[in-house]
Amino acid sequence: MKFLRGVIGYGLAGLFVALVWGDFVKDYGIAGGVAACVLIISPLWYINHYLQLVKFDDDSAFIDMGLGVATCAFLKQAFIEKSPESIVNGIPTLVCVIIGSVAGGLVAAKIEKDFLKGKKEDLDIVSIEENNVVEFNLDKETIQEEL
């Protein structure tokens, strides 16, 4: 059921972006792009993440709506032309997007690690347990934080 919820949530995001966003931009220019962002992405983010149509476990990788949007946008032209040629022509762009995503994820992980390192230096760590729970003292209170 979790997989089906993810397909529905990401499919809705991809479908609305692929079908509506371009018309907004075509009719209203840059303002249409901003309006599409507010009118499409905001409610779908609320449904997918805040209302948890797409639910993530604490120990799983986080995949955002961008994957669904990218998949729909990538395949849209192939369905319109009824030819796999547009998919083949789009592969270099897809490879660049994957490289950029991996680079962005690595940079974000390094920044988060550095941020946590700075926090740990300011705190008096009491113990680190096997289940990744860190116990530390802050203002004479014992606080547990799961990493």
Side-chain angles (χ1 to χ4, degrees):
M1 190 58 147
K2 184 177 176 181
F3 177 77
L4 180 62
R5 289 171 52 171
V7 168
I8 291 170
Y10 294 137
L12 284 174
L15 183 71
F16 279 103
V17 168
L19 293 178
V20 179
W21 196 299
D23 292 337
F24 270 76
V25 173
K26 191 184 307 178
D27 293 343
Y28 304 107
I30 293 173
V34 173
C37 174
V38 171
L39 297 173
I40 297 170
I41 300 300
S42 299
L44 288 169
W45 187 94
Y46 177 78
I47 291 167
N48 283 338
H49 298 301
Y50 188 76
L51 297 180
Q52 295 186 346
L53 176 63
V54 179
K55 183 163 174 41
F56 292 99
D57 298 329
D58 291 335
D59 61 345
S60 66
F62 184 78
I63 300 171
D64 201 14
M65 295 185 320
L67 180 63
V69 171
T71 303
C72 287
F74 186 69
L75 295 175
K76 176 185 171 190
Q77 200 62 33
F79 287 120
I80 290 172
E81 293 177 7
K82 295 179 176 63
S83 168
E85 186 178 330
S86 61
I87 293 176
V88 173
N89 292 339
I91 288 176
T93 302
L94 184 63
V95 169
C96 290
V97 168
I98 291 169
I99 291 170
S101 299
V102 170
L106 291 173
V107 169
K110 292 237 183 243
I111 290 171
E112 183 177 12
K113 186 176 180 181
D114 187 60
F115 177 72
L116 290 175
K117 184 176 75 172
K119 279 179 102 173
K120 286 180 184 176
E121 291 172 357
D122 296 338
L123 304 172
D124 179 24
I125 297 178
V126 176
S127 67
I128 299 177
E129 299 173 9
E130 288 181 19
N131 57 355
N132 291 330
V133 174
V134 177
E135 189 175 297
F136 53 90
N137 289 329
L138 179 65
D139 296 332
K140 298 182 182 178
E141 285 181 46
T142 300
I143 302 171
Q144 288 187 344
E145 181 177 300
E146 188 173 328
L147 290 178

